[in-house]
Amino acid sequence: MGVTTSNLSLGKAKGYPGLSLERTEDYVDMFTSGSCHVLANKIHKLTDWPIHCFLGEDGEADIHAFVVPCPGWRLDVDGLREDEDHNLWLGLDPNRDHRSFSYEEIVDAGWVEPGELQTECAEEIAPLLITIARTNLPKRPCEERHPYKEGTPGT
């Protein structure tokens, strides 16, 4: 289980009253249709949480970039989910392998460079997603593994 943007009214989220449901649907479309790595990179820059991608047969980044704010949890445009739920939401085998990649490795693997719109949208929604994660994750194991960057949203 987790906290997803589909079961949370983003327009009412603390500090982000300008986000509308329609805008949220646009975000989900954008960041599940080829620009997920842009959002994952923005979240990574604000938190230092590692970017992960599912692996192809060659062991390289194949599909969908997300961040791992805490072992057993994943954060992407749809919100915060436990590992297995995240895979199922994406229609993937619950045990599909993933690993950490740098943003540069992802782009070098042939993923599309972001446009201005994707970058602006990632900058707008990343702080909200970080707040969702920090509000709903179990604190102790996460802080030990991925300390929060001071001065970022939710700290």
Side-chain angles (χ1 to χ4, degrees):
M1 188 57 160
V3 178
T4 66
T5 55
S6 60
N7 64 22
L8 177 71
S9 174
L10 291 182
K12 294 180 182 176
K14 183 179 178 184
Y16 298 92
L19 291 178
S20 68
L21 184 58
E22 293 77 27
R23 187 73 168 145
T24 301
E25 291 170 4
D26 290 344
Y27 285 139
V28 172
D29 289 345
M30 178 183 299
F31 295 120
T32 58
S33 301
S35 297
C36 52
H37 60 297
V38 179
L39 179 59
N41 190 46
K42 183 60 183 176
I43 294 169
H44 167 74
K45 284 181 177 181
L46 292 171
T47 62
D48 285 333
W49 295 339
I51 302 170
H52 280 234
C53 296
F54 291 105
L55 304 179
E57 290 182 13
D58 60 359
E60 294 302 314
D62 183 37
I63 59 167
H64 197 58
F66 52 92
V67 295
V68 176
C70 183
W73 292 89
R74 300 181 189 162
L75 181 67
D76 65 11
V77 69
D78 195 53
L80 180 69
R81 292 181 185 266
E82 290 180 274
D83 289 348
E84 187 174 318
D85 290 340
H86 185 250
N87 285 30
L88 294 173
W89 172 71
L90 291 166
L92 300 173
D93 180 315
N95 299 311
R96 178 130 183 210
D97 288 333
H98 62 90
R99 72 169 175 87
S100 178
F101 289 89
S102 71
Y103 182 74
E104 293 73 21
E105 288 175 309
I106 294 168
V107 172
D108 287 348
W111 294 39
V112 178
E113 285 280 357
E116 189 173 326
L117 176 63
Q118 290 85 355
T119 301
E120 288 175 5
C121 289
E123 288 173 358
E124 188 174 335
I125 196 172
L128 174 60
L129 292 167
I130 293 165
T131 300
I132 289 170
R134 289 188 171 155
T135 303
N136 293 282
L137 282 169
K139 293 288 184 204
R140 187 56 75 201
C142 294
E143 289 172 355
E144 293 169 5
R145 181 82 183 263
H146 303 301
Y148 298 146
K149 230 177 166 177
E150 289 298 318
T152 59
T155 57

